[in-house]
Amino acid sequence: MSASAAKPTQAPQFDVSGRVAIVTGASSGLGRQFARVLHAAGARVIAVARREDRLAELAAECPGVVPHVLDVTDEDGCKSLTDRVVADHGSIDVLVNNAGLGSNDTALDEDLDNFRYVLEVNLVSVYNLARLAARPMVEAGRGSIINTASIFGLRSSYPLPNANYAASKAGVVNLTRDLAGQWGRHGVRVNAIAPGYFSSEMADPLFADERGLQRVLRGTPMRRIGEEHELDGALVFLASDASSFVTGHTLVVDGGWSTH
């Protein structure tokens, strides 16, 4: 092949080779895919989740991925995680705050402790880990924090009863904006991805019900749910220098669901 015919396999601004990335909620679903994608793109990935067996499977599939068992609501454990990553790898270049949960209790039936716990996982832990990762990023003068929000952080979850999840993800959207404002002058970018309907442990029961699936499809202009790989580009874009002047933004990937 001549030099003129040769094409680069990847635009250099999307390169994340050698960057140190922490991914939470990495034992399944979107988090597992995020860890795989960053690993395939050349990043040194620390995969964080509670389920040790799932992390071991991921590490076996992606040699070089470092598994780290942690409940993100453990404040001391989160501090130990970021300290260890800096000690072992010298930096934290990318943080993907992906761990999350929700439940479909109605507001009249939900136990208040459950509501608090969902916010603790989905919002408070995002704030805590972002603060912890931002310290070495500020010192280095660069870094990218990517929070997993949701279309339910931008719209009501109606007709699904999901107040805990919707409230927490709306908090993630505005937390992303505020932290971006605080840390932008230090070269630390904070953005979010708001997925629409994708297959996951949380969403699959809805898709298993034909009426629920049809309701999702009718509300999505592209008339399908998202495929696992369709968040890869958004992730690499926000993790890399391709988004070097993007901060405080929530990137919606939903097949058009939020257009109405």
Side-chain angles (χ1 to χ4, degrees):
M1 181 182 293
S2 68
S4 60
K7 295 181 179 180
T9 57
Q10 183 174 340
Q13 66 267 33
F14 288 91
D15 185 21
V16 294
S17 298
R19 296 192 185 180
V20 178
I22 297 173
V23 180
T24 70
S27 61
S28 64
L30 301 183
R32 186 182 184 92
Q33 178 68 7
F34 289 162
R36 286 174 176 149
V37 169
L38 290 175
H39 172 263
R44 289 178 283 171
V45 176
I46 296 84
V48 179
R50 292 180 298 176
R51 292 178 286 190
E52 185 174 8
D53 57 334
R54 295 281 191 91
L55 289 178
E57 291 173 5
L58 176 62
E61 177 190 342
C62 302
V65 167
V66 178
H68 188 101
V69 179
L70 174 68
D71 183 329
V72 292
T73 65
D74 178 354
E75 186 175 349
D76 291 338
C78 289
K79 178 68 163 59
S80 296
L81 164 67
T82 54
D83 286 348
R84 179 175 175 181
V85 171
V86 172
D88 291 350
H89 301 280
S91 66
I92 301 173
D93 301 304
V94 179
L95 168 65
V96 183
N97 267 319
N98 175 74
L101 53 82
S103 63
N104 292 326
D105 301 315
T106 69
L108 294 179
D109 295 331
E110 183 177 19
D111 181 270
L112 196 55
D113 286 339
N114 185 69
F115 185 86
R116 289 191 181 102
Y117 182 64
V118 172
L119 263 67
E120 187 74 22
V121 175
N122 292 4
L123 181 58
V124 177
S125 75
V126 170
Y127 175 64
N128 185 41
L129 275 168
R131 290 192 310 162
L132 292 168
R135 294 186 186 280
M137 290 180 177
V138 166
E139 290 180 10
R142 62 172 293 141
S144 175
I145 296 172
I146 305 166
N147 300 322
T148 300
S150 167
I151 52 173
F152 289 167
L154 304 170
R155 302 284 193 277
S156 163
S157 64
Y158 179 83
L160 300 175
N162 219 334
N164 50 38
Y165 188 79
S168 66
K169 293 302 184 179
V172 168
V173 169
N174 219 35
L175 176 66
T176 296
R177 293 190 188 106
D178 200 87
L179 297 182
Q182 292 189 40
W183 300 333
R185 66 184 182 276
H186 301 294
V188 178
R189 296 180 294 106
V190 188
N191 294 288
I193 298 173
Y197 286 99
F198 282 77
S199 177
S200 68
E201 289 183 9
M202 191 184 308
D204 284 349
L206 173 64
F207 304 147
D209 175 74
E210 184 61 26
R211 289 187 304 172
L213 175 60
Q214 289 306 314
R215 187 166 61 237
V216 170
L217 298 182
R218 285 195 303 271
T220 305
M222 294 187 73
R223 292 297 190 268
R224 62 179 177 84
I225 64 173
E227 297 180 11
E228 190 175 61
H229 68 88
E230 289 180 308
L231 290 167
D232 296 359
L235 176 70
V236 175
F237 170 68
L238 293 176
S240 70
D241 290 343
S243 58
S244 59
F245 200 53
V246 178
T247 195
H249 181 66
T250 296
L251 179 54
V252 179
V253 186
D254 69 351
W257 186 91
S258 58
T259 59
H260 57 86

